[in-house]
Tab-separated table of all heavy atoms in Angstrom:
chain	number	residue	atom	x	y	z
J	85	ALA	N	-1.435	20.368	4.841
J	85	ALA	CA	0.001	20.406	5.090
J	85	ALA	C	0.330	19.627	6.352
J	85	ALA	O	-0.360	19.739	7.371
J	85	ALA	CB	0.476	21.847	5.208
J	86	GLY	N	1.372	18.809	6.271
J	86	GLY	CA	1.809	18.034	7.423
J	86	GLY	C	1.143	16.681	7.536
J	86	GLY	O	1.462	15.911	8.467
J	87	ASP	N	0.213	16.369	6.613
J	87	ASP	CA	-0.434	15.063	6.669
J	87	ASP	C	0.579	13.946	6.431
J	87	ASP	O	1.530	14.085	5.650
J	87	ASP	CB	-1.540	14.952	5.614
J	87	ASP	CG	-2.802	15.678	6.042
J	87	ASP	OD1	-2.859	16.135	7.201
J	87	ASP	OD2	-3.722	15.800	5.195
J	88	ASN	N	0.349	12.832	7.073
J	88	ASN	CA	1.185	11.659	6.900
J	88	ASN	C	0.284	10.431	7.007
J	88	ASN	O	-0.579	10.361	7.874
J	88	ASN	CB	2.285	11.610	7.965
J	88	ASN	CG	3.361	10.597	7.601
J	88	ASN	OD1	3.420	10.127	6.477
J	88	ASN	ND2	4.183	10.243	8.584
J	89	ILE	N	0.469	9.481	6.091
J	89	ILE	CA	-0.390	8.297	6.117
J	89	ILE	C	0.448	7.041	6.261
J	89	ILE	O	1.632	6.995	5.883
J	89	ILE	CB	-1.266	8.195	4.844
J	89	ILE	CG1	-0.385	7.980	3.606
J	89	ILE	CG2	-2.179	9.391	4.699
J	89	ILE	CD1	-1.180	7.593	2.372
J	90	LEU	N	-0.188	6.014	6.797
J	90	LEU	CA	0.377	4.668	6.875
J	90	LEU	C	-0.630	3.713	6.254
J	90	LEU	O	-1.836	3.817	6.512
J	90	LEU	CB	0.644	4.283	8.328
J	90	LEU	CG	1.638	5.151	9.104
J	90	LEU	CD1	1.688	4.702	10.564
J	90	LEU	CD2	3.019	5.114	8.481
J	91	LEU	N	-0.150	2.805	5.423
J	91	LEU	CA	-1.030	1.852	4.747
J	91	LEU	C	-0.675	0.442	5.181
J	91	LEU	O	0.496	0.081	5.322
J	91	LEU	CB	-0.897	1.954	3.228
J	91	LEU	CG	-1.370	3.244	2.553
J	91	LEU	CD1	-1.167	3.151	1.043
J	91	LEU	CD2	-2.835	3.505	2.866
J	92	SER	N	-1.700	-0.389	5.343
J	92	SER	CA	-1.475	-1.803	5.666
J	92	SER	C	-2.673	-2.611	5.207
J	92	SER	O	-3.816	-2.130	5.219
J	92	SER	CB	-1.241	-2.002	7.164
J	92	SER	OG	-2.392	-1.614	7.894
J	93	ILE	N	-2.394	-3.865	4.759
J	93	ILE	CA	-3.468	-4.784	4.366
J	93	ILE	C	-3.756	-5.653	5.577
J	93	ILE	O	-2.906	-6.412	6.048
J	93	ILE	CB	-3.046	-5.635	3.157
J	93	ILE	CG1	-2.740	-4.734	1.954
J	93	ILE	CG2	-4.140	-6.631	2.792
J	93	ILE	CD1	-2.222	-5.480	0.736
J	94	THR	N	-4.957	-5.538	6.094
J	94	THR	CA	-5.293	-6.225	7.343
J	94	THR	C	-6.120	-7.490	7.142
J	94	THR	O	-6.370	-8.215	8.113
J	94	THR	CB	-6.065	-5.264	8.264
J	94	THR	OG1	-7.264	-4.836	7.589
J	94	THR	CG2	-5.213	-4.059	8.623
J	95	GLY	N	-6.510	-7.781	5.897
J	95	GLY	CA	-7.297	-8.989	5.677
J	95	GLY	C	-7.411	-9.320	4.204
J	95	GLY	O	-7.331	-8.447	3.335
J	96	GLY	N	-7.565	-10.614	3.906
J	96	GLY	CA	-7.800	-11.067	2.533
J	96	GLY	C	-6.551	-11.237	1.695
J	96	GLY	O	-6.658	-11.482	0.490
J	97	ASN	N	-5.369	-11.168	2.302
J	97	ASN	CA	-4.131	-11.257	1.524
J	97	ASN	C	-3.268	-12.420	2.011
J	97	ASN	O	-2.054	-12.320	2.095
J	97	ASN	CB	-3.359	-9.939	1.625
J	97	ASN	CG	-2.254	-9.824	0.585
J	97	ASN	OD1	-2.365	-10.360	-0.519
J	97	ASN	ND2	-1.176	-9.131	0.933
J	98	GLU	N	-3.915	-13.518	2.323
J	98	GLU	CA	-3.181	-14.655	2.870
J	98	GLU	C	-2.134	-15.200	1.893
J	98	GLU	O	-1.074	-15.668	2.317
J	98	GLU	CB	-4.157	-15.768	3.255
J	98	GLU	CG	-5.040	-15.446	4.456
J	98	GLU	CD	-6.160	-14.473	4.114
J	98	GLU	OE1	-6.409	-14.270	2.890
J	98	GLU	OE2	-6.768	-13.916	5.044
J	99	ALA	N	-2.417	-15.153	0.604
J	99	ALA	CA	-1.452	-15.661	-0.384
J	99	ALA	C	-0.434	-14.614	-0.792
J	99	ALA	O	0.420	-14.884	-1.653
J	99	ALA	CB	-2.192	-16.168	-1.625
J	100	MET	N	-0.519	-13.442	-0.197
J	100	MET	CA	0.460	-12.368	-0.411
J	100	MET	C	0.532	-11.927	-1.879
J	100	MET	O	1.592	-11.592	-2.389
J	100	MET	CB	1.850	-12.792	0.079
J	100	MET	CG	1.901	-13.187	1.540
J	100	MET	SD	1.385	-11.833	2.632
J	100	MET	CE	2.752	-10.703	2.415
J	101	PHE	N	-0.629	-11.907	-2.534
J	101	PHE	CA	-0.656	-11.413	-3.908
J	101	PHE	C	-0.465	-9.896	-3.967
J	101	PHE	O	0.015	-9.365	-4.971
J	101	PHE	CB	-1.986	-11.777	-4.582
J	101	PHE	CG	-2.006	-13.141	-5.206
J	101	PHE	CD1	-2.467	-14.240	-4.499
J	101	PHE	CD2	-1.552	-13.335	-6.504
J	101	PHE	CE1	-2.490	-15.496	-5.067
J	101	PHE	CE2	-1.565	-14.587	-7.090
J	101	PHE	CZ	-2.036	-15.684	-6.356
J	102	PHE	N	-0.840	-9.200	-2.907
J	102	PHE	CA	-0.872	-7.743	-2.938
J	102	PHE	C	0.107	-7.153	-1.921
J	102	PHE	O	0.512	-7.808	-0.957
J	102	PHE	CB	-2.284	-7.235	-2.652
J	102	PHE	CG	-3.306	-7.709	-3.640
J	102	PHE	CD1	-4.005	-8.899	-3.432
J	102	PHE	CD2	-3.557	-6.984	-4.793
J	102	PHE	CE1	-4.935	-9.344	-4.353
J	102	PHE	CE2	-4.493	-7.423	-5.720
J	102	PHE	CZ	-5.179	-8.609	-5.495
J	103	GLY	N	0.468	-5.917	-2.156
J	103	GLY	CA	1.313	-5.173	-1.241
J	103	GLY	C	0.919	-3.707	-1.268
J	103	GLY	O	0.081	-3.276	-2.071
J	104	THR	N	1.514	-2.910	-0.379
J	104	THR	CA	1.246	-1.470	-0.347
J	104	THR	C	2.558	-0.713	-0.480
J	104	THR	O	3.630	-1.216	-0.103
J	104	THR	CB	0.550	-1.065	0.962
J	104	THR	OG1	1.406	-1.389	2.068
J	104	THR	CG2	-0.787	-1.768	1.115
J	105	ARG	N	2.463	0.493	-0.998
J	105	ARG	CA	3.640	1.363	-1.098
J	105	ARG	C	3.181	2.812	-1.000
J	105	ARG	O	2.077	3.145	-1.438
J	105	ARG	CB	4.416	1.123	-2.397
J	105	ARG	CG	3.689	1.562	-3.654
J	105	ARG	CD	4.518	1.274	-4.895
J	105	ARG	NE	3.873	1.784	-6.111
J	105	ARG	CZ	4.059	2.995	-6.586
J	105	ARG	NH1	4.864	3.858	-5.960
J	105	ARG	NH2	3.445	3.374	-7.709
J	106	ARG	N	4.045	3.659	-0.446
J	106	ARG	CA	3.733	5.086	-0.344
J	106	ARG	C	4.422	5.837	-1.460
J	106	ARG	O	5.607	5.649	-1.717
J	106	ARG	CB	4.204	5.638	1.004
J	106	ARG	CG	3.345	5.226	2.174
J	106	ARG	CD	3.407	6.233	3.317
J	106	ARG	NE	4.752	6.727	3.591
J	106	ARG	CZ	5.010	7.770	4.390
J	106	ARG	NH1	4.015	8.413	4.976
J	106	ARG	NH2	6.248	8.141	4.624
J	107	LEU	N	3.646	6.678	-2.117
J	107	LEU	CA	4.232	7.526	-3.155
J	107	LEU	C	4.852	8.770	-2.527
J	107	LEU	O	5.906	9.242	-2.947
J	107	LEU	CB	3.157	7.920	-4.180
J	107	LEU	CG	3.611	8.805	-5.341
J	107	LEU	CD1	4.627	8.061	-6.213
J	107	LEU	CD2	2.416	9.241	-6.189
J	108	ASN	N	4.201	9.290	-1.497
J	108	ASN	CA	4.680	10.446	-0.741
J	108	ASN	C	3.984	10.391	0.625
J	108	ASN	O	3.211	9.461	0.889
J	108	ASN	CB	4.402	11.757	-1.495
J	108	ASN	CG	2.958	11.875	-1.951
J	108	ASN	OD1	2.048	11.687	-1.134
J	108	ASN	ND2	2.751	12.180	-3.229
J	109	PRO	N	4.209	11.339	1.510
J	109	PRO	CA	3.626	11.248	2.867
J	109	PRO	C	2.111	11.184	2.903
J	109	PRO	O	1.538	10.706	3.886
J	109	PRO	CB	4.151	12.509	3.557
J	109	PRO	CG	5.420	12.832	2.853
J	109	PRO	CD	5.191	12.452	1.426
J	110	TYR	N	1.416	11.650	1.846
J	110	TYR	CA	-0.040	11.700	1.908
J	110	TYR	C	-0.726	10.874	0.810
J	110	TYR	O	-1.942	10.988	0.607
J	110	TYR	CB	-0.522	13.150	1.824
J	110	TYR	CG	0.088	13.915	0.670
J	110	TYR	CD1	-0.453	13.848	-0.604
J	110	TYR	CD2	1.219	14.698	0.873
J	110	TYR	CE1	0.115	14.534	-1.651
J	110	TYR	CE2	1.793	15.392	-0.172
J	110	TYR	CZ	1.245	15.312	-1.439
J	110	TYR	OH	1.814	15.981	-2.476
J	111	MET	N	0.033	10.033	0.115
J	111	MET	CA	-0.586	9.224	-0.945
J	111	MET	C	0.131	7.875	-1.023
J	111	MET	O	1.358	7.796	-0.926
J	111	MET	CB	-0.504	9.929	-2.301
J	111	MET	CG	-1.194	9.150	-3.436
J	111	MET	SD	-1.030	10.005	-5.024
J	111	MET	CE	-1.918	11.522	-4.668
J	112	GLY	N	-0.667	6.807	-1.227
J	112	GLY	CA	-0.098	5.473	-1.352
J	112	GLY	C	-0.916	4.616	-2.307
J	112	GLY	O	-2.010	4.994	-2.756
J	113	TYR	N	-0.379	3.449	-2.601
J	113	TYR	CA	-1.015	2.547	-3.559
J	113	TYR	C	-1.081	1.139	-3.010
J	113	TYR	O	-0.195	0.680	-2.272
J	113	TYR	CB	-0.249	2.504	-4.882
J	113	TYR	CG	-0.415	3.730	-5.743
J	113	TYR	CD1	0.490	4.788	-5.651
J	113	TYR	CD2	-1.468	3.832	-6.643
J	113	TYR	CE1	0.347	5.916	-6.428
J	113	TYR	CE2	-1.624	4.964	-7.433
J	113	TYR	CZ	-0.712	5.995	-7.330
J	113	TYR	OH	-0.862	7.112	-8.102
J	114	VAL	N	-2.122	0.433	-3.385
J	114	VAL	CA	-2.174	-1.020	-3.276
J	114	VAL	C	-1.763	-1.560	-4.634
J	114	VAL	O	-2.282	-1.114	-5.665
J	114	VAL	CB	-3.591	-1.512	-2.908
J	114	VAL	CG1	-3.624	-3.038	-2.868
J	114	VAL	CG2	-4.036	-0.925	-1.575
J	115	TYR	N	-0.842	-2.505	-4.661
J	115	TYR	CA	-0.368	-3.012	-5.952
J	115	TYR	C	-0.403	-4.534	-5.963
J	115	TYR	O	-0.331	-5.195	-4.919
J	115	TYR	CB	1.039	-2.496	-6.266
J	115	TYR	CG	2.139	-3.053	-5.392
J	115	TYR	CD1	2.895	-4.159	-5.808
J	115	TYR	CD2	2.452	-2.474	-4.159
J	115	TYR	CE1	3.910	-4.666	-5.009
J	115	TYR	CE2	3.453	-2.970	-3.367
J	115	TYR	CZ	4.193	-4.071	-3.796
J	115	TYR	OH	5.199	-4.574	-3.007
J	116	LEU	N	-0.545	-5.055	-7.151
J	116	LEU	CA	-0.514	-6.502	-7.372
J	116	LEU	C	0.938	-6.897	-7.563
J	116	LEU	O	1.592	-6.460	-8.506
J	116	LEU	CB	-1.353	-6.869	-8.606
J	116	LEU	CG	-1.462	-8.345	-8.970
J	116	LEU	CD1	-2.231	-9.101	-7.884
J	116	LEU	CD2	-2.162	-8.518	-10.318
J	117	ARG	N	1.419	-7.760	-6.689
J	117	ARG	CA	2.842	-8.103	-6.724
J	117	ARG	C	3.122	-9.461	-7.343
J	117	ARG	O	4.234	-9.724	-7.817
J	117	ARG	CB	3.428	-8.054	-5.308
J	117	ARG	CG	2.713	-8.878	-4.284
J	117	ARG	CD	3.228	-8.574	-2.863
J	117	ARG	NE	4.622	-8.936	-2.730
J	117	ARG	CZ	5.042	-10.156	-2.339
J	117	ARG	NH1	4.148	-11.099	-2.054
J	117	ARG	NH2	6.315	-10.403	-2.209
J	118	LEU	N	2.127	-10.350	-7.378
J	118	LEU	CA	2.296	-11.681	-7.972
J	118	LEU	C	1.291	-11.865	-9.106
J	118	LEU	O	0.152	-11.429	-9.003
J	118	LEU	CB	2.080	-12.783	-6.917
J	118	LEU	CG	3.047	-12.800	-5.734
J	118	LEU	CD1	2.643	-13.896	-4.753
J	118	LEU	CD2	4.479	-13.004	-6.205
């Protein structure tokens, strides 16, 4: 209870094919955007 996460792509995404999104405070996804 009370967990909160932050997601970020720190490497390997120079062409910006991928992105991140949070589903809720404690769960997120990496998704293919292009």
Side-chain angles (χ1 to χ4, degrees):
D87 282 352
N88 194 13
I89 65 168
L90 299 175
L91 294 180
S92 63
I93 299 176
T94 59
N97 194 31
E98 291 75 14
M100 302 300 291
F101 274 93
F102 300 90
T104 61
R105 68 181 184 89
R106 286 206 317 168
L107 180 64
N108 51 51
Y110 50 84
M111 183 182 297
Y113 286 92
V114 177
Y115 69 95
L116 181 66
R117 54 190 297 270
L118 298 177

